[in-house]
Amino acid sequence: MNLPQKIAGVNKNSIPRLVQYKYVLKKVLASGSDRVYSNELADAIGITAAQVRKDFSLFGIMGNKRGGYSVSDLLGIIQRILGSQPGQDVIIAGMGHLGIALSNYKGFEKEGICIRAGFDIDPVKCGVQGNIPVYPFSECEGYISNRNIKVGILAVPADAAQLVLDVMVRGGVEGVLNFAPVHLMAQRSCVIHDVNLGVELEFLLYFVNALNNRGGKA
Amino acid sequence: MNLPQKIAGVNKNSIPRLVQYKYVLKKVLASGSDRVYSNELADAIGITAAQVRKDFSLFGIMGNKRGGYSVSDLLGIIQRILGSQPGQDVIIAGMGHLGIALSNYKGFEKEGICIRAGFDIDPVKCGVQGNIPVYPFSECEGYISNRNIKVGILAVPADAAQLVLDVMVRGGVEGVLNFAPVHLMAQRSCVIHDVNLGVELEFLLYFVNALNNRGGKA
């Protein structure tokens, strides 16, 4: 991952935990309770209660040993920190199978994210794919710049990824979700977040192997 | 995520951290050092040193306040715990754009993972796609059972995901990497690991928004 270690006082690694807290808190609220303790959140997420309290204190969220935290207050603060405003426009570079799959992905809409356009060097892939217009890659930098696009998805082969990233950054992109299994360097201030599907599968394989090694399956 | 909270004594949420420790330790080793302290690992990953020591103590890994940990010893233990053995066979259910993209994904090979076959209900998608044979979905359960496949990737639309999962589990799959943005329930002992691409993009958007709110861009 190629992210600044700290930004606006928030350690980059607390963000995935904030997203996890958000999901747990929504469940607690749905169950009818508005109180939660740091050890309950810690157990649900599998970290120490001290880590939960440290994360929260960084954001100025204070609990109370007797009463714990207010779930709705916590949710409001976390959602304000995560701040994914509706209507965030995103483009995709690389309209191969992965790019098309991402342009059709239903999970983005829930987060208020709108995939506006795709770009590809292959003229055959240009036109309309799924729900979005696809333009020649030569138009990518101008599109980003003219429409003030801040976030792009990189879905090109590993050997083209650095070149495509450089073009996107020149256009003005400030954040890239990178699916290419390669380490990239941004020349200007651009946050790169790698999605490493190999790591996700490795994580799953560990559990399956551990289940088998434990023996005693029915 | 639909994983058992603890398995073989290992808290499920320590696994992503183990994978992160592994990457940091490999870098330290490459830099020529064989000693590392819990606070160095903690800083690199953005958690507390107490959390690092707690994770390690669960695996019986003991440090020493003066000398820290041996990097090569730690790496050996963590790789044994993660235990992704070469030649792990995996199948894909759903050979739309996402399934084909996953069957071509170069990052899996590095982890010793081999995608053996794909399955789809659409006869047009059967035959050979990319590098793998694609069979009618009606053959999926038998294939899993006959070849003793333990891990599957779910790349079908959200509304078909539960049905397809049930078939895979009947065949004998014990772990599923789920890309459908929907919460699934496994009927038997099967670990489901969701890859939520919306959360990944939300995580990135936070950073970009925070960068802009911080102001002072050149």
Side-chain angles (χ1 to χ4, degrees), chain B residues 90-195:
Chain B
V90 173
I91 61 114
I92 300 175
M95 288 301 288
H97 292 292
L98 182 60
I100 296 174
L102 291 167
S103 75
N104 292 331
Y105 187 73
K106 303 295 179 202
F108 292 144
E109 292 160 19
K110 291 183 199 166
E111 311 297 338
I113 294 157
C114 179
I115 308 290
R116 284 283 169 201
F119 296 88
D120 206 286
I121 47 163
D122 182 354
V124 174
K125 290 179 183 149
C126 297
V128 174
Q129 295 268 19
N131 304 313
I132 61 165
V134 179
Y135 304 109
F137 182 68
S138 56
E139 297 176 19
C140 184
E141 186 178 336
Y143 187 98
I144 290 168
S145 163
N146 293 336
R147 308 229 179 178
N148 201 27
I149 302 288
K150 294 296 171 209
V151 172
I153 297 176
L154 201 52
V156 300
D159 55 4
Q162 184 66 54
L163 188 102
V164 171
L165 174 69
D166 293 345
V167 170
M168 288 166 81
V169 172
R170 277 205 303 274
V173 151
E174 295 171 0
V176 168
L177 193 64
N178 171 41
F179 285 87
V182 63
H183 182 69
L184 300 174
M185 307 276 283
Q187 292 181 331
R188 278 177 23 193
S189 167
C190 177
V191 175
I192 300 171
H193 178 45
D194 296 325
V195 179

Side-chain angles (χ1 to χ4, degrees), chain B residues 79-100:
Chain B
Q79 285 178 326
R80 205 163 59 237
I81 293 166
L82 292 174
S84 155
Q85 61 263 57
Q88 185 89 37
D89 290 343
V90 173
I91 61 114
I92 300 175
M95 288 301 288
H97 292 292
L98 182 60
I100 296 174

Side-chain angles (χ1 to χ4, degrees), chain A residues 199-213:
Chain A
V199 170
E200 301 291 345
L201 201 49
E202 186 180 4
F203 171 52
L204 177 65
L205 288 170
Y206 163 72
F207 276 102
V208 172
N209 291 340
L211 272 168
N212 282 311
N213 293 339

Side-chain angles (χ1 to χ4, degrees), chain A residues 157-178:
Chain A
D159 54 5
Q162 183 66 54
L163 188 102
V164 171
L165 173 68
D166 292 345
V167 170
M168 289 164 81
V169 172
R170 275 205 303 273
V173 150
E174 294 171 0
V176 167
L177 193 63
N178 170 41

